[in-house]
């Protein structure tokens, strides 16, 4: 209870958030979500059916009463598209929260920073709780907060790359620059990547491909859960300083 993650008055029980894309079917999605221990599930409004209850629907497998559904604007390349899908999700009663993506390049899937800032400001003024997916640039992170973002979600590496945290120094600077939660989004490929993000001091990690693309997604979901817990505990405990030379772990004074 003393280490709660609270954003805009909403309490999150888990610091591991998971996506729902790229699984072989809804059944596997549900099993991985359960194994992860998360209480936050992201859903791409453009790509996953959550509205038509007469056809196969993700929410038949992911109970909105048990999980916080975080709609996202994945696949949106313009401000207008991102705004439309965010509003559609809210009008359908899914959530006031939105993971905001405005993609700037089809090959790298890097964010369009200018579009992201514009969309963040508009949605924040409309009362959305905005979680923008952004680059690992500290200046952009600060401007997103100024625009009304409830948290910032810098990429660890390109979406789906599995490269891990490529620039921990920028992530660290972002943590020192903004006064809102920092959630690493994209690039986490295995448990050690998630641990590194948490040891840096990040408030949470969002993972999709790193779990869904594993040989055993269910086992990887459990591994990611444990990695986030371990990384957060290590951050709070405080690591020892790095030294060039050895230091004896047992005192020698007073020994015969």
């Amino acid at each position: 209870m003393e280490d709660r993650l609270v954003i805009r008055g909403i309490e999150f029980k888990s610091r591991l958030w998971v996506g729902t894309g790229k699984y072989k079917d809804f059944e596997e999605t549900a099993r991985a979500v359960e194994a992860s221990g998360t209480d936050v599930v992201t859903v791409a409004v453009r790509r996953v059916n959550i509205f038509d209850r007469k056809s196969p629907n993700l929410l038949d497998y992911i109970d909105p009463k048990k999980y916080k559904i975080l709609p996202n604007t994945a696949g949106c390349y313009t401000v207008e598209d991102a705004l439309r899908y965010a509003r559609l999700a809210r009008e359908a009663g899914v959530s006031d929260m939105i993971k905001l993506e405005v993609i700037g390049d089809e090959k790298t899937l890097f964010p369009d920073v200018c579009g992201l800032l514009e969309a963040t400001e508009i949605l924040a003024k409309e009362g959305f709780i905005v979680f923008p997916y952004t680059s690992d640039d500290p200046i952009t992170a600060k401007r997103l907060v100024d625009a009304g973002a409830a948290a910032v979600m810098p990429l660890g590496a390109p979406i789906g790359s599995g490269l891990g945290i490529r620039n921990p120094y920028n992530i660290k600077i972002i943590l020192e620059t903004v006064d809102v939660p920092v959630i690493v989004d994209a690039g986490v490929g295995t448990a050690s990547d998630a641990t590194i993000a948490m040891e840096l001091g990040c408030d949470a990690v969002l993972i999709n491909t790193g779990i869904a693309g594993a040989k055993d997604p269910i086992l990887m979901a459990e591994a990611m859960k444990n990695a986030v817990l371990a990384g957060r505990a290590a951050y709070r405990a405080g690591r020892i300083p790095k030294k060039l030379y050895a230091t004896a772990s047992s005192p020698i004074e007073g020994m015969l």
Side-chain angles (χ1 to χ4, degrees), residues 48-238:
V48 179
N49 174 33
I50 57 174
F51 303 119
D52 183 5
R53 305 299 299 194
K54 296 180 181 179
S55 59
N57 189 302
L58 178 65
L59 298 187
D60 292 332
Y61 298 83
I62 306 295
D63 185 356
K65 295 179 181 178
K66 181 177 180 180
Y67 300 101
K68 296 177 179 67
I69 307 299
L70 177 59
N72 74 60
T73 61
C76 293
Y77 286 81
T78 66
V79 171
E80 292 73 20
D81 262 3
L83 295 177
R84 182 160 69 93
Y85 282 101
R87 291 162 178 161
L88 178 63
R90 184 162 73 173
E91 288 169 6
V94 180
S95 179
D96 287 331
M97 300 188 296
I98 190 74
K99 181 198 166 192
L100 180 62
E101 296 185 27
V102 182
I103 302 300
D105 178 70
E106 188 174 356
K107 183 176 181 180
T108 64
L109 300 181
F110 285 150
D112 174 353
V113 171
C114 294
L116 185 66
L117 285 165
E118 181 182 350
T120 296
E121 185 171 13
I122 292 170
L123 291 174
K125 287 180 178 178
E126 293 181 5
F128 282 87
I129 301 171
V130 185
F131 299 88
Y133 157 71
T134 182
S135 66
D136 61 1
D137 172 39
I139 304 304
T140 299
K142 179 64 169 61
R143 289 179 176 172
L144 286 166
V145 174
D146 293 341
V152 292
M153 305 183 77
L155 55 84
I159 292 174
S161 68
L163 290 173
I165 311 301
R166 303 314 302 160
N167 195 338
Y169 307 104
N170 271 26
I171 299 294
K172 193 67 176 175
I173 294 171
I174 290 173
L175 286 161
E176 295 174 356
T177 300
V178 302
D179 58 359
V180 299
V182 176
I183 303 165
V184 163
D185 177 18
V188 172
T190 192
S192 58
D193 300 332
T195 300
I196 289 170
M198 297 307 295
E199 287 179 346
L200 287 170
C202 293
D203 296 275
V205 178
L206 173 57
I207 306 172
N208 188 174
T209 307
I211 296 175
K215 292 181 180 179
D216 186 337
I218 313 307
L219 187 58
M220 183 60 81
E222 184 177 349
M224 293 296 192
K225 174 180 69 174
N226 293 327
V228 168
L229 290 172
R232 181 64 182 178
Y235 169 74
R236 296 184 67 208

